[in-house]
Amino acid sequence: MKRGKVFVISGPSGVGKGTLCAELMRRYPELAATTVSVTTRAPRPGEVDGVHYYFRTEAQFDEMLAAEMFLETVNKFTHRYGTLLSEVEKVLDAGKNVILEIEMLGGANVKKRISDAVLIFILPPTLAALTDRIVGRGSETEAQIRLRQAQVEEEFDQADPYEYFVVNDDLAEAVENVRAIIVAEGLKADGKDVKKNYFGRN
Ligand code: ADP
Ligand code: 5GP
């Protein structure tokens, strides 16, 4: 069975990464699967442990780190986040592509460990639209919104290792563009391997 690839989806807070990934999975459930990360932040209203994140204490996070359970971790917005190796392996072993919806430093670290991981950066149509979306989501306090806004420019600075840039203006179009990237990346192959498949030799 062909093993899936790892796709990282990043972009500034509020750009619509979560919305886009959920819609991609809803429309194309066979294409890929997302993973559940660990975080030390408190759940937002409606967030469920084990579904949106594994919500853990700082001490629990430290234990998991010491046990080398993470593919990558990051400190952001005064909280810690980490991608579990077991979550990624579970999806790859099932022959599916993995989608990691993580921030940019995490993306760069994934690329260092998995060289054929594909990094996709989601852009807002304008910076004003980005602010509207963060405020409109209504899940952060004013202080948290200011902190996230202050970091937007820095977040763009971290886009260098990213290979694909998708504007999330019309959601359906953005979903189709991400799907196109995943499909095209799945068609990449080494010509020698292709020949071996047909003739049993290089
Ligand atoms: P992120 O996961 O990047 O922080 P979210 O998925 O939570 O962002 O989206 C932030 C807000 O923007 C949400 O209220 C969501 O409904 C809205 N949103 C997402 N995509 C679009 C879009 N294409 N057009 C308009 N609003 C959008
Ligand atoms: P939020 O608190 O809004 O859910 O997430 C804040 C940021 O952390 C988002 O950019 C999100 O993509 C990122 N994030 C979530 N889980 C992980 C993770 O496991 N690793 C990294 N590096 N970033 C993560």
Side-chain angles (χ1 to χ4, degrees):
M1 182 178 24
K2 199 174 177 215
R3 247 168 98 85
K5 264 192 171 179
V6 174
F7 293 83
V8 172
I9 299 211
S10 306
S13 175
V15 75
K17 301 178 294 293
T19 308
L20 196 160
C21 290
E23 185 58 16
L24 183 74
M25 295 299 89
R26 194 183 69 77
R27 281 203 214 172
Y28 303 107
E30 296 310 316
L31 184 68
T34 51
T35 61
V36 181
S37 286
V38 180
T39 184
T40 59
R41 82 155 162 76
R44 295 183 186 131
E47 283 185 335
V48 178
D49 183 47
V51 176
H52 297 92
Y53 283 103
Y54 298 108
F55 295 99
R56 297 292 181 264
T57 62
E58 289 281 342
Q60 287 170 329
F61 197 99
D62 280 335
E63 275 173 31
M64 296 170 103
L65 194 61
E68 298 183 356
M69 290 169 71
F70 291 114
L71 171 61
E72 59 78 37
T73 63
V74 79
N75 291 353
K76 194 168 162 91
F77 307 133
T78 70
H79 303 297
R80 292 156 86 193
Y81 298 85
T83 306
L84 288 169
L85 277 165
S86 55
E87 291 272 313
V88 174
E89 286 300 325
K90 190 171 68 185
V91 180
L92 290 179
D93 288 349
K96 270 194 174 186
N97 295 303
V98 181
I99 292 190
L100 300 179
E101 192 217 310
I102 62 177
E103 54 69 62
M104 283 63 99
L105 288 175
N109 285 330
V110 167
K111 186 80 184 169
K112 278 181 205 153
R113 287 186 67 172
I114 305 174
S115 61
D116 71 344
V118 179
L119 308 190
I120 305 171
F121 193 93
I122 309 298
L123 294 164
T126 61
L127 289 178
L130 180 62
T131 305
D132 289 348
R133 285 182 194 174
I134 300 176
V135 174
R137 184 167 61 184
S139 57
E140 279 91 11
T141 63
E142 268 188 43
Q144 284 170 329
I145 290 173
R146 273 198 297 276
L147 181 62
R148 288 184 181 222
Q149 277 180 313
Q151 294 198 356
V152 170
E153 199 167 342
E154 262 174 50
E155 289 177 322
F156 275 77
D157 286 341
Q158 296 167 357
D160 285 2
Y162 282 73
E163 311 156 76
Y164 291 99
F165 292 81
V166 174
V167 177
N168 178 24
D169 188 357
D170 177 66
L171 179 66
E173 195 181 325
V175 166
E176 289 309 317
N177 285 336
V178 172
R179 175 177 179 264
I181 294 165
I182 296 175
V183 170
E185 285 287 336
L187 299 175
K188 275 189 180 168
D190 185 326
K192 287 197 186 78
D193 293 339
V194 174
K195 190 175 167 195
K196 199 170 178 186
N197 273 343
Y198 282 86
F199 301 102
R201 63 173 181 83
N202 294 112

